[in-house]
Amino acid sequence: MSEEENLFPDLKNDLILKATRGENVSRVPVWVMRQAGRYLPEFRDLRVENEFFDVCRTPSLACEVTMMPIKKYDLDAAIIFSDILVIPQALGMQVEMQKGKGPVFPKPLLDATDIKLLNVDVDVKIELKYVLDAITLTRKTLDGKCPLIGFAGAPWTLMAYMIEGGGSKTYSKVKKCLYVDPESCKNLLSILTRVCIDFLVEQVKSGAQLLQVFDSHAGELSADMFNIFCLPYLKDIATSVKKRLGPNQSVPMIVFAKGSHYALKDLGESDYDVIALDWTMNIEDARRLCPHKTLMGNLDPCALYSSKEDIDTRVKKMIQMFGTSKYIANLGHGIYPDVDPDHMEAFVNAVHRHSQSL
Ligand code: CP3
């Protein structure tokens, strides 16, 4: 254990860490992507007075929001309140969070060569210090209740936002770049990969006990394009972060490449410890293709709109499919803002109840 780590309170709940190592657990660990977010009335209240990125940039507020679901539910991990788009911001791009619209880049990159405005030599220890400080404060505030997850957006997903200027139905602007100028795309993806690696390493040094890489737009690509523009960078991130941290400081890493059915075998052979599945993925296929990995997921976020009884039944079925070892229960994508917080509770409690009885 590193000296820095000794400064943090002892961990009282290590279920999720055990699950990542394939060790026996007394119950299946559970957390929910986007658990610190808009479905929580406490968060919406805090947002009335505070801009989204101001919350991200103020460690005391980011810590407060991270703790909201932890205080309310019996969760086995916390995820630091931040956003994947802090990396484009650190590179010098402006990002606005518009009501009802989501993230908007007023000046997106015109194409993958348009990187002259980017501060490609960014030092994340300086530009993203506020995230690192939020992690340290939150790790202390958690007081060992459960582990803290740090995260970053994957290069392809970040590049998609930077060129599309926000969300998109077709991703045709950024995909056009992949087809007409693959070499410049690879250059931009390499820049983003370097920043992701630096950022994730620093998050661990600041107190993150697991890491997740979000490739939310992976499924926009065909299998062969994924193999060129996603997979090598995703693999490099896991390998390099672990190499930089060394065996004593390394933490388990989760990859969520949404929609990338065709990539399960390759991800199963990567240096990630945990493969997160979306709700369209077949659990048996994933077990067969990733025999050495822990799996995470994958209830359809919309299932939380059903009755508490139905949620309970679906959770039981999900755990029966995954089994109770090498498994972390979660949704197949982030929780939606209009989900009833009591249904989140029904989900979390159902995981605990059923995984103890199965
Ligand atoms: O609870 C947590 O998971 C921690 C915080 C977190 C946020 N965003 C807070 C947030 C995390 C891990 C993210 C990741 C993120 N951000 C992803 C990857 C995961 C995914 O859902 O695919 C992506 C694609 C983004 C980009 C982003 N940020 C979008 C598309 C939006 C708008 C739509 C939405 O989902 O809310 C955001 C805004 C955002 N990020 C909010 C929160 C709580 C809501 C902003 C608000 O308060 O208005």
Side-chain angles (χ1 to χ4, degrees):
M1 195 175 278
S2 71
E3 275 176 42
E4 294 99 305
E5 225 177 329
N6 280 329
L7 298 174
F8 292 120
D10 287 342
L11 188 57
K12 299 178 197 98
N13 172 354
D14 64 350
L15 284 172
I16 193 169
L17 300 179
K18 281 189 166 146
T20 66
R21 296 189 294 255
E23 294 171 14
N24 281 340
V25 285
S26 51
R27 61 178 204 200
V28 167
V30 56
W31 70 283
V32 169
M33 289 189 267
R34 313 296 288 271
Q35 66 189 22
R38 289 183 298 178
Y39 72 105
L40 288 174
E42 305 86 304
F43 175 72
R44 291 198 297 266
D45 288 348
L46 185 135
R47 278 279 283 117
V48 173
E49 301 287 326
N50 301 280
E51 282 297 327
F52 176 75
F53 285 112
D54 288 341
V55 183
C56 296
R57 286 191 197 107
T58 312
S60 60
L61 291 178
C63 173
E64 189 183 333
V65 179
T66 306
M67 294 302 294
M68 283 175 181
I70 303 302
K71 288 181 182 153
K72 208 163 163 148
Y73 309 111
D74 196 7
L75 291 160
D76 298 302
I79 180 160
I80 191 66
F81 183 83
S82 180
D83 200 85
I84 63 165
L85 301 176
V86 299
I87 286 184
Q89 286 178 329
L91 287 165
M93 295 188 81
Q94 211 184 318
V95 188
E96 293 165 4
M97 203 53 79
Q98 291 185 3
K99 217 179 162 156
K101 219 175 163 193
V104 173
F105 290 63
K107 289 182 218 130
L109 300 184
L110 297 176
D111 58 39
T113 63
D114 189 23
I115 56 174
K116 52 195 174 297
L117 293 178
L118 297 185
N119 171 20
V120 295
D121 297 321
V122 59
D123 182 347
V124 296
K125 273 190 277 192
I126 297 168
E127 283 305 321
L128 294 172
K129 183 174 185 296
Y130 61 89
V131 180
L132 306 176
D133 288 347
I135 287 175
T136 305
L137 175 65
T138 307
R139 171 92 181 259
K140 287 181 182 158
T141 308
L142 275 164
D143 196 26
K145 203 160 182 262
C146 61
L148 178 61
I149 304 173
F151 69 90
W156 156 247
T157 291
L158 294 178
M159 174 177 154
Y161 275 107
M162 290 160 72
I163 291 181
E164 294 288 339
S168 163
K169 277 210 171 79
T170 58
Y171 291 88
S172 57
K173 285 189 193 132
V174 65
K175 284 174 71 178
K176 177 181 175 187
C177 299
L178 301 183
Y179 285 98
V180 303
D181 190 1
E183 289 315 311
S184 300
C185 291
K186 288 180 192 168
N187 182 41
L188 177 54
L189 290 164
S190 301
I191 293 168
L192 291 167
T193 302
R194 205 270 299 158
V195 181
C196 283
I197 294 167
D198 285 353
F199 188 32
L200 290 168
V201 165
E202 291 307 322
Q203 290 188 50
V204 174
K205 289 187 181 167
S206 303
Q209 291 150 294
L210 287 103
L211 294 172
Q212 176 153 333
V213 179
F214 284 94
D215 216 345
S216 306
H217 300 326
E220 302 298 331
L221 299 177
S222 61
D224 56 344
M225 295 300 261
F226 178 91
N227 287 335
I228 299 169
F229 297 107
C230 267
L231 187 63
Y233 305 96
L234 279 177
K235 282 169 70 174
D236 185 12
I237 289 172
T239 309
S240 301
V241 167
K242 291 193 172 190
K243 198 169 157 204
R244 287 258 298 272
L245 287 166
N248 293 330
Q249 252 197 318
S250 277
V251 302
M253 294 183 70
I254 307 168
V255 62
F256 177 53
K258 185 170 176 288
S260 64
H261 300 251
Y262 39 74
L264 283 172
K265 184 168 180 293
D266 288 315
L267 293 175
E269 289 162 4
S270 70
D271 284 331
Y272 289 95
D273 305 272
V274 182
I275 314 300
L277 308 182
D278 68 57
W279 67 95
T280 69
M281 287 172 171
N282 181 290
I283 298 168
E284 284 168 4
D285 286 351
R287 280 283 181 221
R288 185 170 44 78
L289 293 165
C290 307
H292 306 296
K293 302 295 179 188
T294 292
L295 299 180
M296 186 175 99
N298 74 339
L299 193 73
D300 182 350
C302 288
L304 296 194
Y305 295 129
S306 64
S307 68
K308 292 184 198 168
E309 294 71 31
D310 283 354
I311 291 171
D312 197 83
T313 311
R314 288 180 196 281
V315 166
K316 185 174 182 188
K317 194 174 158 213
M318 175 176 79
I319 298 173
Q320 281 168 335
M321 294 285 290
F322 277 102
T324 52
S325 63
K326 281 195 186 164
Y327 175 48
I328 299 165
N330 206 314
L331 301 180
H333 197 189
I335 185 168
Y336 294 138
D338 58 346
V339 164
D340 181 341
D342 289 346
H343 287 212
M344 164 79 169
E345 184 171 34
F347 173 74
V348 173
N349 292 346
V351 172
H352 286 154
R353 201 170 46 255
H354 290 303
S355 65
Q356 277 169 305
S357 65
L358 284 170

